[in-house]
Amino acid sequence: MVIEKLASSCSCTKVKADKRIIPAGERGVVSGLFEFKGREGKQRISIKVGTSDGKTHSLTAFVEIPRTYVLSTRRVTWASSEMNPKAQTVHLVNVADKPIEIERAESSDPAFKAELKTVMPGYQYDLVVTPSSVAQLSRAIISISCKSDDKPLEYKVYAFVEK
């Protein structure tokens, strides 16, 4: 048998086979490495293997990644008609059993200012997002990075100026 195609349902999972050609009576190993950075809650990952006999074999894994931070919202919006747009605050609360510091918050667009305020170090933070203008439609992704012993954690908040 020949492995002709390997595919993952998500770019978060890298798949590989120890060999592409598997002689009759032998075994081969297909493995998947799931990168959970920035993910939480229930995840479903599938790996598909296409073989020379025309068949597609599937493996699906279900993973539950515990939450670390709960965000009051993941979306902040302003109307382009607003005369004086006010800052909006996203509250971040650590629900893990140990403190995890939030290191920084960065906006993908300088038209949105992202300021991180510490309420209780390791447990509570406020992300204050302010658009510099609402004169034109715009959007940004605010990336929030955490410092953890395990793996780096990242959260995203989406900011929009809409009609």
Side-chain angles (χ1 to χ4, degrees):
M1 175 179 5
V2 177
I3 295 177
E4 294 180 339
K5 184 176 182 181
L6 280 175
S8 167
S9 60
C10 173
S11 63
C12 62
T13 305
K14 307 294 182 236
V15 294
K16 67 178 183 178
D18 65 339
K19 52 189 168 184
R20 293 284 182 161
I21 300 172
I22 304 167
E26 290 191 25
R27 295 178 184 230
V29 176
V30 173
S31 59
L33 178 62
F34 175 60
E35 178 62 54
F36 63 89
K37 178 181 177 184
R39 296 179 178 277
E40 62 186 16
K42 294 179 181 178
Q43 305 289 315
R44 179 179 181 263
I45 304 102
S46 295
I47 295 173
K48 294 193 185 278
V49 181
T51 56
S52 56
D53 60 3
K55 294 181 181 176
T56 299
H57 309 273
S58 298
L59 169 68
T60 302
F62 296 92
V63 179
E64 176 118 20
I65 301 169
R67 288 182 173 207
T68 303
Y69 272 91
V70 174
L71 282 63
S72 60
T73 185
R74 291 194 183 251
R75 179 183 169 102
V76 289
T77 60
W78 292 265
S80 59
S81 60
E82 288 182 47
M83 297 303 284
N84 296 311
K86 294 185 174 20
Q88 292 191 37
T89 302
V90 177
H91 305 287
L92 298 100
V93 178
N94 178 352
V95 294
D97 57 0
K98 64 180 181 178
I100 297 176
E101 288 183 44
I102 294 182
E103 295 183 312
R104 66 184 170 279
E106 296 175 334
S107 175
S108 65
D109 184 339
F112 291 89
K113 179 183 173 190
E115 181 184 2
L116 193 60
K117 294 184 177 182
T118 302
V119 176
M120 184 187 308
Y123 290 97
Q124 292 182 0
Y125 296 85
D126 283 344
L127 171 66
V128 181
V129 183
T130 312
S132 57
S133 168
V134 292
Q136 63 183 27
L137 304 182
S138 56
R139 64 180 174 205
I141 299 172
I142 314 294
S143 297
I144 303 162
S145 301
C146 300
K147 180 180 180 179
S148 171
D149 295 338
D150 304 326
K151 290 228 176 208
L153 301 171
E154 186 174 279
Y155 294 90
K156 296 193 184 309
V157 172
Y158 302 91
F160 299 91
V161 172
E162 302 175 325
K163 285 186 177 182

